[in-house]
Amino acid sequence: MSRPRRRIQRMIDFVRLPREVTVCLCIISLCDLICFSWDETHFGKMGSYYINRTFFFDVHPPLGKMLIGLAGYMTGYDGTYPFLKPGDKYEHHNYWGMRGFCASLGSCLPPFAYLTVLELSQSLTAALITAAVLAFDTGCITISQYILLDPILMFFIMGAVLSMVKFNRQRYRPFSAPWWFWLVLTGVNLSGALGVKFVGLFVILLVGLNTARDLWSLLGDLHLSLMDFGKHLLSRVFGLILLPLFLYVTIFAVHFVVLNKSGPGDGFFSSAFQSRLIGNNLHNASMPEYLAYGSVITVKNLRIAGGYLHSHWHLYPEGVGAKQQQVTAYLHKDYNNMWLVHRPNDSDEPDLVRHGDIIRLEHKETTRNLHSHLHEAPLTKKHFQVTGYGINGTGDPNDLWQVEVCGGQKGNLVKVLRSKVRFLHRATGCVLYSSGKTLPKWGWEQVEVTCSPYLKETPNSQWNIEDHINTKLPNISLSVLKPHFLEILLESHIVMIRGNSGLKPKDNEMNSKPWHWPINYQGLRFSGVNETEYRVYLLGNPVIWWLNLVSLGLYVVMVAAASLHCRVLLEGGGLLLLGWLLHYVPFYTMGRILYYHHYFPAMLFSSMLTGKVINLHPKMNFEIGCSLFSSSVYICFSLCLSKPCSFYMFHPLSYGMRGPLAHDPDSTMAGLKWMDSWEF
């Protein structure tokens, strides 16, 4: 028996409670799952990359992964576990620190919510109800017990909201030590939230709106001089803009210093960016300065994450243009990115390629030529298909391309890495183009390459020569190409933003829609799919989530009916409702793939609003005199009392299940599959 399990058993023996109840109450059990699951394949691996100082690419800012890597390093994890697929055993690898760190931050959510609601309502009852709502939610427990970014993000979001509320309470003690403390802490938490995920922008917007309202009220205070108002304005600019911005940039500075070795993320970035990474073929490298006939090259698209010009033995499928060899853009370095530069007449005298020259590009591995014709492209139907055609360099006139140096003149040489180059197809007049669209599985989910009839210069149609091998030419050092910090900071953000927008649903991939989330329509399978496997299923406690939904609607109705007569409705509750809206509604506008876990930040606000709504009953009986509201609140309160019972029923979703599935009468979850869309 492991040490954590022995500790749990001693606690069970001491308090003499049933094993299931005690295990649910022991936070140490959050880490007592020895298989890794779901996104741990990503974020656990990224923690390993930080320990090994290996560069990688992710669509989120780096703070969350850095903290996971630091937690692993501080607790003895050596960064060697491969994180290949969900369900694999950790075996002897020390994963406790990373999971324990995420669980610790997740366990801070109930006390943070308690303190926030206590400040907003001055009601111990409302604060306790809110804390209980989060403490008994199976979804919060599940998402906090794994190596994920979500508990870290929610920790900073709740930290920012709590600090903002505490700061608001100091309005009558401006520029005092507590006033400065909560202002600065708000800024620190804002930078933390944005540093983990870009959705941290939503809490920044919430704090910004609250600050604007605060400043507006100060501006209308006739007892406050313009000089004092200026001090208030400048202090908030410092604490809520300049300080978070400085900390956010510092996060990236540390990120770039730590990850200084070449890794799987190199290909997403420009050639100049790659030249700073130890182990990259461009780091401290030397190669011929100018492109020449007979050279072996790789060609990289200048659109961020546009990829390398790539081909392989696979053909386009039946019905997708001509059934010839696929040409794609590939985001990683690969032997299939290599091309030979030939003259049209096959003579490879060691002469330099110039602006306006006609060349033929032969794929080194398959010996087929880069080719285009009037068949439509696979995805971008107004463009032409690009293929690999011929064999051993033998092809037809559709294999010829004219080299253009962007901004160049006839006779200008093509500089390796530094020249922006376009390839114009001689037969059709189109230009070689990386669309940025992801091909289906038949294209190995690589990026579509087309020939665009629209000749306007864009990064999609611009390329540079990255690798350049030619033994007949002298080499020069590439160290002069290393970019400075602001350049790589800007480039990394462009890559992340485009990476986020490129996360589209794939065939048969599990995803969900925003309207699913508040009603708890469908959870997310973390591990295990059959009755012989250890199964964990991310699903919010249905009683709590439906109570939250009722409370949202009830609050809106109560405000509409009574806001003119009952100020208590608007104090605090409006801020929480605004927080929920800002963290939920924007997802309806997003084109990227969405998952159930994206709702959890919004759920924090709806849970806090639930505590406040339930506690409104005694304050409203005489001020409104509406029995409908009183009855509704009593119903909510009764539902609130059922939270521990529903938690006991659904806790196997968080702590793991074995044996028959829920539809089997012998299952531990028999009778609890209240919605057909639940998959446990």
Side-chain angles (χ1 to χ4, degrees), residues 367-388:
T367 71
R368 290 194 167 99
N369 298 325
L370 186 69
H371 177 98
S372 187
H373 43 220
L374 295 178
H375 292 271
E376 67 180 18
L379 303 180
T380 310
K381 299 302 183 181
K382 293 184 179 180
H383 290 193
F384 301 134
Q385 183 188 32
V386 176
T387 69

PDB file of all heavy atoms in Angstrom, residues 367-388:
ATOM      1  N   THR A 367      11.611  12.049 -55.812  1.00  0.00           N
ATOM      2  CA  THR A 367      12.111  12.462 -57.140  1.00  0.00           C
ATOM      3  C   THR A 367      11.001  13.002 -58.044  1.00  0.00           C
ATOM      4  O   THR A 367      11.158  13.045 -59.261  1.00  0.00           O
ATOM      5  CB  THR A 367      12.848  11.311 -57.859  1.00  0.00           C
ATOM      6  OG1 THR A 367      11.909  10.318 -58.281  1.00  0.00           O
ATOM      7  CG2 THR A 367      13.914  10.702 -56.969  1.00  0.00           C
ATOM      8  N   ARG A 368       9.867  13.415 -57.465  1.00  0.00           N
ATOM      9  CA  ARG A 368       8.807  14.037 -58.267  1.00  0.00           C
ATOM     10  C   ARG A 368       8.924  15.558 -58.186  1.00  0.00           C
ATOM     11  O   ARG A 368       9.350  16.103 -57.188  1.00  0.00           O
ATOM     12  CB  ARG A 368       7.427  13.566 -57.795  1.00  0.00           C
ATOM     13  CG  ARG A 368       7.164  12.106 -58.143  1.00  0.00           C
ATOM     14  CD  ARG A 368       5.690  11.755 -57.995  1.00  0.00           C
ATOM     15  NE  ARG A 368       5.405  10.474 -58.604  1.00  0.00           N
ATOM     16  CZ  ARG A 368       5.307   9.322 -57.954  1.00  0.00           C
ATOM     17  NH1 ARG A 368       5.502   9.299 -56.645  1.00  0.00           N
ATOM     18  NH2 ARG A 368       5.031   8.207 -58.590  1.00  0.00           N
ATOM     19  N   ASN A 369       8.483  16.219 -59.253  1.00  0.00           N
ATOM     20  CA  ASN A 369       8.618  17.669 -59.355  1.00  0.00           C
ATOM     21  C   ASN A 369       7.420  18.387 -58.723  1.00  0.00           C
ATOM     22  O   ASN A 369       6.290  17.885 -58.763  1.00  0.00           O
ATOM     23  CB  ASN A 369       8.718  18.097 -60.825  1.00  0.00           C
ATOM     24  CG  ASN A 369       9.943  17.521 -61.504  1.00  0.00           C
ATOM     25  OD1 ASN A 369      10.994  17.378 -60.883  1.00  0.00           O
ATOM     26  ND2 ASN A 369       9.812  17.184 -62.784  1.00  0.00           N
ATOM     27  N   LEU A 370       7.685  19.579 -58.196  1.00  0.00           N
ATOM     28  CA  LEU A 370       6.604  20.446 -57.736  1.00  0.00           C
ATOM     29  C   LEU A 370       5.812  20.893 -58.961  1.00  0.00           C
ATOM     30  O   LEU A 370       6.374  21.443 -59.911  1.00  0.00           O
ATOM     31  CB  LEU A 370       7.178  21.654 -56.992  1.00  0.00           C
ATOM     32  CG  LEU A 370       6.160  22.584 -56.333  1.00  0.00           C
ATOM     33  CD1 LEU A 370       5.493  21.894 -55.150  1.00  0.00           C
ATOM     34  CD2 LEU A 370       6.824  23.875 -55.881  1.00  0.00           C
ATOM     35  N   HIS A 371       4.489  20.689 -58.918  1.00  0.00           N
ATOM     36  CA  HIS A 371       3.666  20.743 -60.125  1.00  0.00           C
ATOM     37  C   HIS A 371       2.328  21.399 -59.780  1.00  0.00           C
ATOM     38  O   HIS A 371       1.823  21.262 -58.675  1.00  0.00           O
ATOM     39  CB  HIS A 371       3.451  19.292 -60.603  1.00  0.00           C
ATOM     40  CG  HIS A 371       2.569  19.123 -61.785  1.00  0.00           C
ATOM     41  ND1 HIS A 371       3.051  18.974 -63.068  1.00  0.00           N
ATOM     42  CD2 HIS A 371       1.217  19.043 -61.893  1.00  0.00           C
ATOM     43  CE1 HIS A 371       2.045  18.805 -63.904  1.00  0.00           C
ATOM     44  NE2 HIS A 371       0.920  18.845 -63.211  1.00  0.00           N
ATOM     45  N   SER A 372       1.759  22.123 -60.727  1.00  0.00           N
ATOM     46  CA  SER A 372       0.397  22.622 -60.559  1.00  0.00           C
ATOM     47  C   SER A 372      -0.322  22.564 -61.888  1.00  0.00           C
ATOM     48  O   SER A 372       0.305  22.476 -62.953  1.00  0.00           O
ATOM     49  CB  SER A 372       0.397  24.055 -60.002  1.00  0.00           C
ATOM     50  OG  SER A 372      -0.918  24.465 -59.688  1.00  0.00           O
ATOM     51  N   HIS A 373      -1.659  22.606 -61.821  1.00  0.00           N
ATOM     52  CA  HIS A 373      -2.490  22.544 -63.027  1.00  0.00           C
ATOM     53  C   HIS A 373      -3.857  23.130 -62.687  1.00  0.00           C
ATOM     54  O   HIS A 373      -4.074  23.606 -61.565  1.00  0.00           O
ATOM     55  CB  HIS A 373      -2.599  21.101 -63.538  1.00  0.00           C
ATOM     56  CG  HIS A 373      -2.823  20.095 -62.452  1.00  0.00           C
ATOM     57  ND1 HIS A 373      -2.232  18.861 -62.415  1.00  0.00           N
ATOM     58  CD2 HIS A 373      -3.576  20.151 -61.313  1.00  0.00           C
ATOM     59  CE1 HIS A 373      -2.614  18.201 -61.338  1.00  0.00           C
ATOM     60  NE2 HIS A 373      -3.428  18.966 -60.662  1.00  0.00           N
ATOM     61  N   LEU A 374      -4.792  23.074 -63.586  1.00  0.00           N
ATOM     62  CA  LEU A 374      -6.061  23.779 -63.432  1.00  0.00           C
ATOM     63  C   LEU A 374      -7.105  23.014 -62.622  1.00  0.00           C
ATOM     64  O   LEU A 374      -8.248  23.459 -62.524  1.00  0.00           O
ATOM     65  CB  LEU A 374      -6.626  24.133 -64.818  1.00  0.00           C
ATOM     66  CG  LEU A 374      -5.779  25.136 -65.619  1.00  0.00           C
ATOM     67  CD1 LEU A 374      -6.397  25.386 -66.985  1.00  0.00           C
ATOM     68  CD2 LEU A 374      -5.619  26.437 -64.853  1.00  0.00           C
ATOM     69  N   HIS A 375      -6.758  21.900 -62.038  1.00  0.00           N
ATOM     70  CA  HIS A 375      -7.679  21.227 -61.113  1.00  0.00           C
ATOM     71  C   HIS A 375      -7.805  22.074 -59.839  1.00  0.00           C
ATOM     72  O   HIS A 375      -6.835  22.685 -59.380  1.00  0.00           O
ATOM     73  CB  HIS A 375      -7.158  19.838 -60.749  1.00  0.00           C
ATOM     74  CG  HIS A 375      -7.167  18.876 -61.896  1.00  0.00           C
ATOM     75  ND1 HIS A 375      -8.240  18.083 -62.201  1.00  0.00           N
ATOM     76  CD2 HIS A 375      -6.215  18.586 -62.823  1.00  0.00           C
ATOM     77  CE1 HIS A 375      -7.962  17.336 -63.249  1.00  0.00           C
ATOM     78  NE2 HIS A 375      -6.727  17.630 -63.658  1.00  0.00           N
ATOM     79  N   GLU A 376      -9.006  22.087 -59.237  1.00  0.00           N
ATOM     80  CA  GLU A 376      -9.200  22.903 -58.036  1.00  0.00           C
ATOM     81  C   GLU A 376      -8.510  22.278 -56.825  1.00  0.00           C
ATOM     82  O   GLU A 376      -8.332  21.054 -56.748  1.00  0.00           O
ATOM     83  CB  GLU A 376     -10.686  23.119 -57.754  1.00  0.00           C
ATOM     84  CG  GLU A 376     -11.451  21.878 -57.362  1.00  0.00           C
ATOM     85  CD  GLU A 376     -12.929  22.172 -57.089  1.00  0.00           C
ATOM     86  OE1 GLU A 376     -13.438  23.237 -57.514  1.00  0.00           O
ATOM     87  OE2 GLU A 376     -13.576  21.320 -56.446  1.00  0.00           O
ATOM     88  N   ALA A 377      -8.103  23.130 -55.895  1.00  0.00           N
ATOM     89  CA  ALA A 377      -7.414  22.680 -54.684  1.00  0.00           C
ATOM     90  C   ALA A 377      -8.382  21.912 -53.774  1.00  0.00           C
ATOM     91  O   ALA A 377      -9.603  22.072 -53.890  1.00  0.00           O
ATOM     92  CB  ALA A 377      -6.832  23.882 -53.945  1.00  0.00           C
ATOM     93  N   PRO A 378      -7.864  21.089 -52.868  1.00  0.00           N
ATOM     94  CA  PRO A 378      -8.736  20.245 -52.031  1.00  0.00           C
ATOM     95  C   PRO A 378      -9.722  21.028 -51.178  1.00  0.00           C
ATOM     96  O   PRO A 378     -10.896  20.664 -51.089  1.00  0.00           O
ATOM     97  CB  PRO A 378      -7.743  19.473 -51.155  1.00  0.00           C
ATOM     98  CG  PRO A 378      -6.448  19.523 -51.862  1.00  0.00           C
ATOM     99  CD  PRO A 378      -6.441  20.804 -52.627  1.00  0.00           C
ATOM    100  N   LEU A 379      -9.281  22.093 -50.518  1.00  0.00           N
ATOM    101  CA  LEU A 379     -10.140  22.840 -49.593  1.00  0.00           C
ATOM    102  C   LEU A 379     -10.458  24.239 -50.090  1.00  0.00           C
ATOM    103  O   LEU A 379     -11.585  24.705 -49.968  1.00  0.00           O
ATOM    104  CB  LEU A 379      -9.468  22.921 -48.211  1.00  0.00           C
ATOM    105  CG  LEU A 379      -9.105  21.589 -47.540  1.00  0.00           C
ATOM    106  CD1 LEU A 379      -8.442  21.844 -46.192  1.00  0.00           C
ATOM    107  CD2 LEU A 379     -10.339  20.714 -47.357  1.00  0.00           C
ATOM    108  N   THR A 380      -9.472  24.928 -50.638  1.00  0.00           N
ATOM    109  CA  THR A 380      -9.668  26.292 -51.144  1.00  0.00           C
ATOM    110  C   THR A 380     -10.028  26.190 -52.618  1.00  0.00           C
ATOM    111  O   THR A 380      -9.156  26.172 -53.502  1.00  0.00           O
ATOM    112  CB  THR A 380      -8.392  27.129 -50.939  1.00  0.00           C
ATOM    113  OG1 THR A 380      -7.947  26.993 -49.585  1.00  0.00           O
ATOM    114  CG2 THR A 380      -8.650  28.598 -51.223  1.00  0.00           C
ATOM    115  N   LYS A 381     -11.330  26.111 -52.880  1.00  0.00           N
ATOM    116  CA  LYS A 381     -11.797  25.705 -54.205  1.00  0.00           C
ATOM    117  C   LYS A 381     -11.473  26.701 -55.315  1.00  0.00           C
ATOM    118  O   LYS A 381     -11.431  26.339 -56.481  1.00  0.00           O
ATOM    119  CB  LYS A 381     -13.317  25.467 -54.153  1.00  0.00           C
ATOM    120  CG  LYS A 381     -13.738  24.372 -53.179  1.00  0.00           C
ATOM    121  CD  LYS A 381     -13.084  23.035 -53.502  1.00  0.00           C
ATOM    122  CE  LYS A 381     -13.562  21.935 -52.565  1.00  0.00           C
ATOM    123  NZ  LYS A 381     -12.904  20.637 -52.850  1.00  0.00           N
ATOM    124  N   LYS A 382     -11.228  27.969 -54.961  1.00  0.00           N
ATOM    125  CA  LYS A 382     -10.907  28.954 -55.990  1.00  0.00           C
ATOM    126  C   LYS A 382      -9.426  28.960 -56.344  1.00  0.00           C
ATOM    127  O   LYS A 382      -8.990  29.734 -57.191  1.00  0.00           O
ATOM    128  CB  LYS A 382     -11.349  30.347 -55.535  1.00  0.00           C
ATOM    129  CG  LYS A 382     -12.868  30.489 -55.438  1.00  0.00           C
ATOM    130  CD  LYS A 382     -13.275  31.911 -55.070  1.00  0.00           C
ATOM    131  CE  LYS A 382     -14.789  32.041 -55.014  1.00  0.00           C
ATOM    132  NZ  LYS A 382     -15.218  33.425 -54.667  1.00  0.00           N
ATOM    133  N   HIS A 383      -8.647  28.123 -55.652  1.00  0.00           N
ATOM    134  CA  HIS A 383      -7.225  27.982 -55.957  1.00  0.00           C
ATOM    135  C   HIS A 383      -7.002  26.691 -56.738  1.00  0.00           C
ATOM    136  O   HIS A 383      -7.872  25.829 -56.822  1.00  0.00           O
ATOM    137  CB  HIS A 383      -6.408  27.947 -54.667  1.00  0.00           C
ATOM    138  CG  HIS A 383      -6.367  29.251 -53.942  1.00  0.00           C
ATOM    139  ND1 HIS A 383      -5.489  29.510 -52.925  1.00  0.00           N
ATOM    140  CD2 HIS A 383      -7.097  30.386 -54.091  1.00  0.00           C
ATOM    141  CE1 HIS A 383      -5.679  30.729 -52.466  1.00  0.00           C
ATOM    142  NE2 HIS A 383      -6.654  31.275 -53.158  1.00  0.00           N
ATOM    143  N   PHE A 384      -5.797  26.540 -57.297  1.00  0.00           N
ATOM    144  CA  PHE A 384      -5.458  25.360 -58.074  1.00  0.00           C
ATOM    145  C   PHE A 384      -4.691  24.354 -57.214  1.00  0.00           C
ATOM    146  O   PHE A 384      -4.011  24.720 -56.245  1.00  0.00           O
ATOM    147  CB  PHE A 384      -4.618  25.748 -59.301  1.00  0.00           C
ATOM    148  CG  PHE A 384      -5.308  26.715 -60.218  1.00  0.00           C
ATOM    149  CD1 PHE A 384      -4.636  27.828 -60.723  1.00  0.00           C
ATOM    150  CD2 PHE A 384      -6.638  26.523 -60.586  1.00  0.00           C
ATOM    151  CE1 PHE A 384      -5.262  28.731 -61.564  1.00  0.00           C
ATOM    152  CE2 PHE A 384      -7.276  27.423 -61.436  1.00  0.00           C
ATOM    153  CZ  PHE A 384      -6.592  28.532 -61.920  1.00  0.00           C
ATOM    154  N   GLN A 385      -4.794  23.097 -57.593  1.00  0.00           N
ATOM    155  CA  GLN A 385      -4.131  22.012 -56.872  1.00  0.00           C
ATOM    156  C   GLN A 385      -2.617  22.032 -57.136  1.00  0.00           C
ATOM    157  O   GLN A 385      -2.165  22.329 -58.240  1.00  0.00           O
ATOM    158  CB  GLN A 385      -4.717  20.670 -57.319  1.00  0.00           C
ATOM    159  CG  GLN A 385      -4.165  19.458 -56.597  1.00  0.00           C
ATOM    160  CD  GLN A 385      -4.659  18.150 -57.223  1.00  0.00           C
ATOM    161  OE1 GLN A 385      -4.891  18.072 -58.438  1.00  0.00           O
ATOM    162  NE2 GLN A 385      -4.816  17.130 -56.398  1.00  0.00           N
ATOM    163  N   VAL A 386      -1.850  21.718 -56.111  1.00  0.00           N
ATOM    164  CA  VAL A 386      -0.397  21.552 -56.222  1.00  0.00           C
ATOM    165  C   VAL A 386      -0.075  20.098 -55.925  1.00  0.00           C
ATOM    166  O   VAL A 386      -0.534  19.543 -54.913  1.00  0.00           O
ATOM    167  CB  VAL A 386       0.357  22.490 -55.259  1.00  0.00           C
ATOM    168  CG1 VAL A 386       1.855  22.228 -55.327  1.00  0.00           C
ATOM    169  CG2 VAL A 386       0.055  23.945 -55.591  1.00  0.00           C
ATOM    170  N   THR A 387       0.721  19.469 -56.783  1.00  0.00           N
ATOM    171  CA  THR A 387       1.014  18.048 -56.635  1.00  0.00           C
ATOM    172  C   THR A 387       2.503  17.788 -56.868  1.00  0.00           C
ATOM    173  O   THR A 387       3.266  18.688 -57.217  1.00  0.00           O
ATOM    174  CB  THR A 387       0.209  17.213 -57.655  1.00  0.00           C
ATOM    175  OG1 THR A 387       0.706  17.488 -58.971  1.00  0.00           O
ATOM    176  CG2 THR A 387      -1.276  17.524 -57.587  1.00  0.00           C
ATOM    177  N   GLY A 388       2.875  16.532 -56.674  1.00  0.00           N
ATOM    178  CA  GLY A 388       4.170  16.041 -57.113  1.00  0.00           C
ATOM    179  C   GLY A 388       3.966  15.201 -58.357  1.00  0.00           C
ATOM    180  O   GLY A 388       3.128  14.285 -58.365  1.00  0.00           O
TER     181      GLY A 388
END
